[in-house]
Amino acid sequence: MAGETVITIVGNLTADPELRTTSAGAQVASFTIASTPRTWNRSTNQFEDGQALFMRCSAWRDLAEHCVQSLGKGMRVIAQGRLQQRSYQAQDGSNRTAIELQVDEIGPSLKYATAQVQKMQSGGYQGGNGGFGGNGYQQPQQARQQPQAPADDPWGAPAGEPDF
């Protein structure tokens, strides 16, 4: 992936991710992340919003399905991916250029919220060369019973601790 522009963006989803299937059968989720810079104004002693960046994003295959199931309008997210530029001709005949983020990684920001993570069994990814195989469908792993620490043990692990 040499020569690709990789960026990370933090912002809020402007709408729920929309899932569609291409003619080739691949699933893609489309959504927009609004990222608004905030700066401190010393003269007014207040934060001021700068001009918002609205980044159109796409996520493919299993990631697309996970985005639709996990993310919703207004959620603050952190997304990393590759900027892609495409040119097209609009209906009025003018040439246009669109820049989009093809998302490789995305998740909720935990700065102002909490999240419950549910690990998925790998079914779609095979091999270390980035190839995809299998049926791509993933089921959540069965929750394992966590050993409970005695009630008087202040260092006991929380009962709902995720298994990473």
Side-chain angles (χ1 to χ4, degrees), residues 91-162:
Q91 290 179 348
D92 64 1
S94 63
N95 292 326
R96 302 212 177 155
T97 301
I99 296 177
E100 183 176 270
L101 179 66
Q102 187 168 338
V103 176
D104 293 322
E105 300 282 341
I106 189 167
S109 169
L110 301 181
K111 188 171 185 178
Y112 304 115
T114 61
Q116 188 75 23
V117 177
Q118 184 174 6
K119 188 174 181 182
M120 305 299 282
Q121 291 179 356
S122 72
Y125 177 79
Q126 295 187 359
N129 62 358
F132 288 87
N135 63 9
Y137 184 71
Q138 299 179 345
Q139 290 288 337
Q141 288 183 343
Q142 295 294 337
R144 288 188 240 164
Q145 189 68 344
Q146 296 281 336
Q148 296 291 329
D152 61 345
D153 182 5
W155 298 102
E161 186 172 78

Side-chain angles (χ1 to χ4, degrees), residues 40-47:
W40 180 257
N41 185 329
R42 290 182 183 178
S43 62
T44 62
N45 286 330
Q46 294 183 38
F47 279 103

